Amino acid sequence: LVRNLLLDHRLAGEFGHVQKVGYLPDTFGHISQMPQILKLFDILYAMLFRGLDEGEFNSELWWRSPDGSQVLIRHLPTDMGYGNASALPEEKDEAAADLICLARYEVRRAASSVLLAMNGMDHLSARPDLPALLQKANQTACSEFFFQQTSLETYFAHLANALNGKELQMVSGELRDANRTAERDNRLLPHVLSSRMYLKQQNERAENLLERWAEPWSALAWLDGAEYPQAFLDKAWEWLLQNHAHDSIGGCSVDAVHSQMETRFTWASEIAEGITQESFDLFARQIDLSGLKEDEAALVVFNTLPFPVEAGITVDIDLWDFFVKRVALLHWQKDYAENETESTAEFPEIFQQRVRRYWYNDPVVLPETGYRGLRIRPLGSEESLAVQLESAQRGYVLRPFVSGPATERRGDRVRVSFLGMLPACGYQVYAVKPLQTPNKCEVVSLPHNVLENEFLRVRIDPNGTLSIDDKKNGETYTSLGYFEDGSDCGDAYNYSNAAQERLENSLGCATRISRLEAGPAVQRYIIEYDWSLPARLDKSRQRRVKDRVTCPLSVNLSLAQGTPRLDLRVDFDNRVLDHRLRMVFPSDVKTDRSYASEAFDVVEHPIRVIPVPASAWVEDAPTTFPLQDWIDLSDGRRGLCLIVRGLPEYEVL
């Protein structure tokens, strides 16, 4: 939102003027700190539609943020929205009569004599005969009303002058209520939060790359004399912001719209990744590597967090073929020459020479260029770290020259884990040496299906759920992380289960539980399911069919030393239609509130929502809520927090 307003001001300024009005007519709910953001841009007025039930409110009222900032808002008519004058007839007399009727209707909710008729909207082109139509309306209205075509900025100036300090009603914080007023149709459409979830995940990744990697490290590189990549960052933000229109990021448009979004997310992420890599390369070239030995390469691990990390970390190391061969050559001892005096040699050396000569016809003995392990030490220390080699795969990278063709580097990408110590917003250099001997880490001695560090003890139960002991306060949490799958016959705006629901869960599924790592830095397990689910809804869309399809599902668990959290990665191969998949974490926390991280705020949500009266029903009051990074339940003594990446909707049952 901040970046959007910054870009808006720059672009509008290029046209000569910025209208200082927060135009929020069709957003599917509003964040609590929106008034604060608007005020910081010197925007004192806003207009909105969804998320605020009409109730007993006037059209004009104050909207206050948790920090105390407030803006004057015009709440648009909840049964006509932001186009209340968009359907005027072609015939001028008829259109004039409609405008007068609209004005008499708007007086009902108005707190002042200044009313608002919205003729334009995003589905219509401008009406060229509007001035003549208004002239006719003024003639017909006589002195009852005066109609004037103007800008929203001028409208709010007249409104503020007419109110002249009049006391108005106040609304506060997040605005996400459903319609509760009879004969109105103010739909919130809350479940866009999880429509096309893949878009939300791509969005989170692009935002994270820009906000937390590309920009801060570019700023640090600029302080060190590098040119700041402003144009590239602006272009990346432009691609990203083009995806943030409500019907785009909401996931409620046609497939073609969202295919183009994926391309923009890719472009924004590629720019951010490239800029980050350039900043890292710049720093790496300036690091004093005089402490490296001839057979070592430097590994630089960056920490973007504002606090130090002392914990098990996992990194990918590229071992280029030319480097591994060079290290091997350094340790190559050539055969004795024919004229070399053998009397000075020890007998084992003489024996080996005779064997090579008479058994193998004395071929050239080349060094073995493979490796079986890695030695890693912090630069400046001779003490080797305990290194877990987790995987290795062949790969290559093209590195362009300053001019001319690219050079291809081939090698192995090796994933390793070790106990790292990274300074806040800084980096640590490690010396890496290939070894002919394998790494033999001390294996953490634990019962099967158990992960444990100094903070947590995690047990994987036979049905795939988790039991976690909090070693700090003695609390235990059980049956965490099972899966629930139900029907969905709704649309891209709203979830709706089928009339004849069959809610299934993974608690009865057979599981395969395998230990992947049990080293001193990181412990890993994988839980695998072959979950059979109904293939689709039937033609009536009232029930799920009896045909079933197996959908592979896996959960990777990682517990690092020094980290008071359990990391989960879920992979689900979706082969069925018309359903909603959720992961469930029973907390046993007794509370009536949940708390979620949102834009510049921690927002409190009720667990039991007040239902919509039948007389006013157009949709249910939402029981699912937005989150940006985490959601927490706590009773003041025990609590459970889930931290997520790109999953912006949750529910407390």
Side-chain angles (χ1 to χ4, degrees):
L1 290 168
V2 171
R3 299 304 179 127
N4 204 327
L5 285 163
L6 285 169
L7 181 60
D8 292 344
H9 277 64
R10 192 179 76 211
L11 292 176
E14 291 174 1
F15 285 92
H17 181 66
V18 180
Q19 287 200 70
K20 294 285 191 174
V21 175
Y23 185 64
L24 306 164
D26 203 21
T27 313
F28 307 131
H30 303 274
I31 63 167
S32 60
Q33 292 284 36
M34 196 70 211
Q36 182 194 38
I37 294 172
L38 293 173
K39 284 289 289 291
L40 289 171
F41 280 89
D42 296 322
I43 297 174
L44 308 180
Y45 311 113
M47 51 197 309
L48 54 86
F49 169 36
R50 303 186 191 278
L52 178 62
D53 175 53
E54 181 178 312
E56 300 299 320
F57 289 126
N58 291 127
S59 301
E60 305 86 1
L61 56 159
W62 291 107
W63 181 16
R64 176 180 291 170
S65 281
D67 77 306
S69 301
Q70 60 187 48
V71 294
L72 176 64
I73 63 170
R74 171 62 160 85
H75 187 217
L76 295 162
T78 55
D79 44 3
M80 292 179 285
Y82 53 98
N84 59 342
S86 61
L88 299 176
E90 291 294 322
E91 206 280 315
K92 290 185 177 57
D93 287 338
E94 251 189 296
D98 277 10
L99 273 177
I100 293 168
C101 187
L102 170 62
R104 289 169 180 164
Y105 177 83
E106 287 295 320
V107 167
R108 178 183 59 86
R109 291 182 63 212
S112 80
S113 58
V114 179
L115 310 177
L116 180 65
M118 300 286 285
N119 177 246
M121 62 184 306
D122 54 355
H123 300 286
L124 298 173
S125 54
R127 183 164 176 171
D129 65 341
L130 187 60
L133 190 158
L134 295 179
Q135 184 180 12
K136 181 63 178 178
N138 284 325
Q139 292 171 356
T140 306
C142 298
S143 59
E144 184 180 5
F145 298 106
F146 174 70
F147 295 94
Q148 177 182 347
Q149 182 180 3
T150 187
S151 66
L152 289 176
E153 194 173 39
T154 304
Y155 159 73
F156 273 106
H158 282 292
L159 176 62
N161 186 58
L163 289 171
N164 194 26
K166 179 180 179 180
E167 188 172 336
L168 298 175
Q169 297 158 302
M170 176 83 68
V171 292
S172 299
E174 186 179 70
L175 301 180
R176 293 193 73 254
D177 201 7
N179 182 78
R180 297 177 181 275
T181 302
E183 300 180 6
R184 297 290 178 267
D185 189 358
N186 182 15
R187 302 181 193 212
L188 179 64
L189 309 173
H191 299 123
V192 294
L193 289 169
S194 57
S195 278
R196 299 184 189 260
M197 189 66 83
Y198 63 95
L199 295 177
K200 275 66 169 182
Q201 292 175 304
Q202 291 176 37
N203 180 70
E204 187 274 343
R205 181 173 183 272
E207 287 185 344
N208 191 49
L209 283 168
L210 281 168
E211 291 178 9
R212 303 182 186 184
W213 289 100
E215 289 191 325
W217 287 98
S218 293
L220 291 171
W222 174 79
L223 287 172
D224 206 36
E227 183 179 356
Y228 191 75
Q230 188 69 58
F232 285 107
L233 289 167
D234 286 347
K235 179 56 69 173
W237 275 107
E238 181 182 322
W239 293 130
L240 182 60
L241 291 171
Q242 285 182 10
N243 284 347
H244 283 184
H246 64 292
D247 285 330
S248 299
I249 194 61
C252 51
S253 293
V254 295
D255 290 347
V257 169
H258 299 304
S259 295
Q260 294 176 10
M261 288 178 63
E262 289 194 82
T263 302
R264 293 190 200 105
F265 281 135
T266 300
W267 287 342
S269 298
E270 284 178 346
I271 291 173
E273 285 181 320
I275 287 173
T276 303
Q277 185 63 52
E278 285 188 358
S279 298
F280 288 169
D281 288 346
L282 176 73
F283 284 116
R285 286 197 299 270
Q286 299 182 64
I287 295 173
D288 179 6
L289 299 179
S290 58
L292 278 184
K293 298 177 182 177
E294 196 176 9
D295 55 359
E296 292 177 325
L299 166 70
V300 187
V301 183
F302 291 88
N303 174 25
T304 194
L305 298 170
F307 48 82
V309 171
E310 297 184 18
I313 61 173
T314 301
V315 298
D316 289 331
I317 301 175
D318 288 325
L319 289 179
W320 306 118
D321 288 348
F322 69 82
F323 168 67
V324 176
K325 290 177 182 177
R326 181 170 64 81
V327 172
L329 285 168
L330 290 172
H331 298 282
W332 178 29
Q333 293 183 349
K334 296 182 179 180
D335 271 348
Y336 292 107
E338 277 295 321
N339 59 358
E340 191 170 336
T341 304
E342 298 177 355
S343 60
T344 60
E346 294 288 336
F347 182 75
E349 296 173 293
I350 297 172
F351 176 77
Q352 290 174 9
Q353 186 178 9
R354 297 283 185 257
V355 167
R356 282 196 294 273
R357 179 180 301 168
Y358 296 120
W359 290 10
Y360 301 112
N361 198 26
D362 200 18
V364 176
V365 179
L366 294 176
E368 185 177 347
T369 59
Y371 63 94
R372 295 181 181 84
L374 295 177
R375 178 181 186 265
I376 298 179
R377 63 181 180 89
L379 196 63
S381 170
E382 289 300 319
E383 186 176 349
S384 297
L385 302 174
V387 178
Q388 298 172 230
L389 263 67
E390 299 198 28
S391 66
Q393 58 184 13
R394 291 294 292 170
Y396 70 92
V397 66
L398 290 174
R399 286 184 172 253
F401 292 130
V402 175
S403 62
T407 176
E408 181 181 88
R409 290 187 176 185
R410 289 189 173 272
D412 289 350
R413 173 157 288 184
V414 185
R415 177 159 294 179
V416 301
S417 295
F418 56 87
L419 290 174
M421 298 183 65
L422 311 178
C425 205
Y427 60 84
Q428 175 63 53
V429 184
Y430 296 93
V432 180
K433 174 184 176 179
L435 301 175
Q436 291 297 320
T437 55
N439 290 81
K440 293 185 178 180
C441 283
E442 177 185 350
V443 175
V444 177
S445 180
L446 290 170
H448 192 55
N449 296 0
V450 171
L451 304 86
E452 185 172 4
N453 66 8
E454 60 267 50
F455 299 102
L456 303 175
R457 181 180 175 89
V458 181
R459 296 183 306 280
I460 306 172
D461 296 321
N463 62 5
T465 62
L466 311 174
S467 296
I468 299 181
D469 297 330
D470 184 339
K471 296 166 72 170
K472 183 177 180 180
N473 60 22
E475 297 290 340
T476 298
Y477 304 83
T478 61
S479 302
L480 301 175
Y482 69 87
F483 294 88
E484 173 191 279
D485 193 80
S487 62
D488 186 356
C489 65
D491 55 27
Y493 293 98
N494 278 320
Y495 158 79
S496 180
N497 61 276
Q500 299 179 39
E501 174 66 296
R502 283 176 59 184
L503 202 60
E504 307 193 7
N505 62 54
S506 62
L507 294 173
C509 295
T511 60
R512 296 184 299 279
I513 303 171
S514 308
R515 186 171 70 184
L516 305 178
E517 289 289 332
V522 178
Q523 301 160 46
R524 302 189 200 278
Y525 271 84
I526 185 171
I527 309 167
E528 296 172 289
Y529 307 79
D530 291 321
W531 197 6
S532 175
L533 294 170
R536 68 187 71 83
L537 291 174
D538 66 9
K539 291 182 179 180
S540 72
R541 299 184 67 78
Q542 297 295 307
R543 64 188 67 83
R544 305 176 86 173
V545 299
K546 293 182 180 179
D547 297 340
R548 302 179 76 86
V549 177
T550 298
C551 295
L553 169 68
S554 66
V555 183
N556 281 263
L557 293 79
S558 301
L559 185 65
Q561 287 299 115
T563 304
R565 98 184 162 260
L566 175 68
D567 291 338
L568 307 177
R569 193 193 80 216
V570 178
D571 293 286
F572 179 68
D573 186 355
N574 183 36
R575 301 174 180 178
V576 299
L577 303 172
D578 311 320
H579 69 125
R580 179 176 73 169
L581 175 68
R582 307 207 287 184
M583 198 172 187
V584 186
F585 297 85
S587 69
D588 272 345
V589 173
K590 308 302 180 187
T591 179
D592 61 355
R593 297 279 177 208
S594 64
Y595 294 86
S597 163
E598 292 188 28
F600 306 113
D601 197 13
V602 175
V603 179
E604 177 184 292
H605 293 135
I607 290 175
R608 294 187 180 276
V609 302
I610 302 172
V612 172
S615 60
W617 190 92
V618 292
E619 66 180 358
D620 289 334
T623 58
T624 63
F625 297 100
L627 75 158
Q628 193 159 34
D629 295 305
W630 53 261
I631 175 263
D632 178 73
L633 286 180
S634 174
D635 61 9
R637 184 180 63 87
R638 59 186 269 132
L640 187 69
C641 178
L642 299 179
I643 306 169
V644 301
R645 304 186 74 173
L647 306 176
E649 185 177 31
Y650 78 95
E651 180 175 13
V652 183
L653 301 174

